[in-house]
Amino acid sequence: MRIPRILTALALAASALTALASADKPVIGLSLDTLKEERWQRDRDNFIAEVERLGGSVVVQSANSDDTRQVRDIESLITRGVDVLVVVPHNGEAMTRAMRSAKEAGIPVIAYDRLILNGELAAYVTFDNVKVGELQAQWVVDRLPADKVARLVRIYGAPTDNNAKLFKQGQDNVLDPLISSGRVKVVAEDWALDWKPENAKKIMNAAITRIGHEFDAVLVSNDGTAGGAIQSLIEEGLAGKLIVTGQDADLAACQRIMRGTQSMTVFKPVSKLATLAAQIAVASAKGNLPKAETTLNNGFKEVPCFFEKIVAVDKDNMMETVVAAGFHPAGQIQ
Ligand code: BGC
C-alpha cells in the first residue's frame, strides 16, 4: 500500500506545480537537439525573449545529438510541470515515448523546425523545407555549364533528421527531370551523419579520391556541412572554382559567399520563426492555440502547421536580404 500512496503524493505535487505554472505566467519547456550550429542559439535566444515579453518563462535543455538524452530531457521537463513543450527533435522518429509521457501529463507539444513523427502534436512551426531544397537545386541548375553534361556531387544532411529528407525531396523535384534527360549526372552522393562538418569533409574527400576534379557543383544541404566540404575543396585547390550550396545564412557562410568559396545559402529568418513559436506556445498554454492555415500529416494525425518564408541568397542580394533583415551587420560579412 505504500507505493500507491507515494505515487499519489507525487501526482499531487506535480499537479500543484502545473497549476502554479499555468496561471498568467506560463512555463515553456524548450528541448533542443543541439546548439552546434549558430542558428540554434539564435532560435533559443529569440524564443526566450518573446516568451518573457509575454509574461512567461522558459526552461531550456539541449541533448547534444543524443536521442536517449533528449527523451530524458523531455521527461524531466514534464516532471517540472511545464505548461507546454516545444521540441526540436534530433530524430523525429525516436520521440514516441516522450510524446506519450507528455500526452499522459496533458502537456501540449509543439514541434519546432523539425517534425516529430507518429505521435500526438498540437502544432508544427517551421519553414517550407521542401522549398529549401528546391531553391538550392534551382540555383545550381540555373548556373550549370550549357555545353556539356553537368556533373554533380550531393551531400545530404543527417539521415535521422526528417528535414534532411525534405531538403533532398525538394532538390529531387528540380533535378529528377534533368537526370532523366541526361543533362545532369550525379557522380557522388552521401549523408553527413549528425550534420557534422567533418563528416561532410570526409564525403568530399572520398568523392575526389574516386572521381578526381571532374565535377561542376557540390549540392550541400546546410552551411555547416558546406564549410566541411569547402575545407576539402581548399586543400585540393578547387575552392571558388565550382558551385557550392548551403542554408542558414551562418555568419561564416555569408563571409564565404562574399569571398567566393561558397555560392549561395538559403536565408531562413529564425528570429521570426522563434518569435512565432513563442507566441503559439504561450497562447497554447492558455488554451488558445491559434488556427493554422494548413496541416501536415506526421503519420499519426494532421498537425496544424505554421510556416515562415525563406529566400535564396548569393553575393548579389546579400545586402537586401540578410543584412537588411539585421541578421548580420554588413561590416561583419564584407
Ligand atoms: C535545420 C537546418 C540546420 C540542420 C542542422 C535542420 O533540421 O532545418 O537549419 O542547419 O538541421 O542543425
Side-chain angles (χ1 to χ4, degrees):
M1 280 285 103
R2 264 186 81 200
I3 293 169
R5 224 179 289 137
I6 288 169
L7 283 181
T8 316
L10 278 177
L12 279 176
S15 69
L17 246 179
T18 313
L20 256 184
S22 302
D24 274 349
K25 297 183 160 90
V27 180
I28 315 294
L30 176 63
S31 164
L32 298 164
D33 158 26
T34 176
L35 285 165
K36 177 168 43 77
E37 286 86 7
E38 181 185 305
R39 67 156 288 186
W40 299 116
Q41 295 165 32
R42 204 187 278 262
D43 289 85
R44 177 199 57 194
D45 295 348
N46 282 279
F47 184 83
I48 295 175
E50 182 64 5
V51 171
E52 288 181 351
R53 196 186 68 77
L54 296 169
S57 61
V58 184
V59 185
V60 184
Q61 305 272 21
S62 176
N64 202 19
S65 306
D66 179 336
D67 290 329
T68 314
R69 177 159 163 195
Q70 189 161 29
V71 171
R72 226 177 25 233
D73 284 352
I74 295 174
E75 289 184 335
S76 95
L77 289 167
I78 294 172
T79 312
R80 283 174 85 149
V82 297
D83 294 292
V84 175
L85 278 161
V86 175
V87 180
V88 183
H90 169 250
N91 180 344
E93 289 181 87
M95 293 297 111
T96 325
R97 197 178 98 197
M99 291 307 94
R100 209 178 311 122
S101 307
K103 192 169 181 214
E104 279 162 18
I107 300 173
V109 181
I110 297 170
Y112 182 80
D113 196 84
R114 303 177 182 161
L115 187 58
I116 296 171
L117 300 168
N118 307 318
E120 174 59 36
L121 268 188
Y124 178 34
V125 185
T126 190
F127 301 101
D128 183 340
N129 295 304
V130 174
K131 178 94 185 286
V132 171
E134 287 172 353
L135 289 180
Q136 293 168 324
Q138 195 58 52
W139 200 97
V140 173
V141 163
D142 290 345
R143 289 158 184 84
L144 286 175
D147 50 340
K148 59 171 184 131
V149 174
R151 293 166 62 83
L152 199 61
V153 175
R154 299 182 68 180
I155 303 180
Y156 313 119
T160 44
D161 177 0
N162 188 58
N163 281 1
K165 293 168 196 158
L166 299 178
F167 302 143
K168 177 177 186 299
Q169 186 185 317
Q171 295 166 2
D172 289 345
N173 289 347
V174 175
L175 293 176
D176 280 352
L178 299 164
I179 294 172
S180 303
S181 72
R183 168 89 185 81
V184 169
K185 186 170 162 51
V186 177
V187 289
E189 61 186 328
D190 207 345
W191 297 79
L193 292 185
D194 280 337
W195 289 103
K196 285 197 178 141
E198 60 265 35
N199 292 336
K201 184 175 181 216
K202 279 186 202 145
I203 295 170
M204 195 69 248
N205 284 342
I208 293 174
T209 306
R210 206 163 55 75
I211 58 171
H213 287 188
E214 294 309 305
F215 53 98
D216 305 291
V218 193
L219 183 51
V220 194
S221 285
N222 84 343
D223 287 340
T225 47
I230 290 167
Q231 202 48 47
S232 162
L233 297 176
I234 289 173
E235 288 164 17
E236 292 289 324
L238 287 173
K241 296 188 180 151
L242 27 86
I243 296 170
V244 182
T245 66
Q247 86 169 283
D248 288 338
D250 279 356
L251 179 59
C254 293
Q255 291 167 337
R256 289 194 295 265
I257 291 173
M258 298 317 275
R259 287 180 203 138
T261 51
Q262 184 171 327
S263 315
M264 65 86 71
T265 185
V266 177
F267 174 42
K268 310 197 300 189
V270 292
S271 323
K272 279 195 188 169
L273 192 75
T275 304
L276 176 67
Q279 291 163 353
I280 294 172
V282 170
S284 147
K286 297 181 176 168
N288 303 324
L289 181 72
K291 205 171 154 19
E293 274 176 27
T294 178
T295 63
L296 228 142
N297 197 301
N298 77 337
F300 176 75
K301 64 180 275 199
E302 286 293 325
V303 182
C305 190
F306 301 84
F307 284 120
E308 269 300 338
K309 292 202 177 65
I310 53 170
V311 55
V313 172
D314 56 21
K315 212 180 222 165
D316 295 338
N317 66 349
M318 181 70 76
M319 294 303 148
E320 70 233 33
T321 54
V322 172
V323 173
F327 203 68
H328 299 304
Q332 278 188 25
I333 54 178
Q334 272 161 335

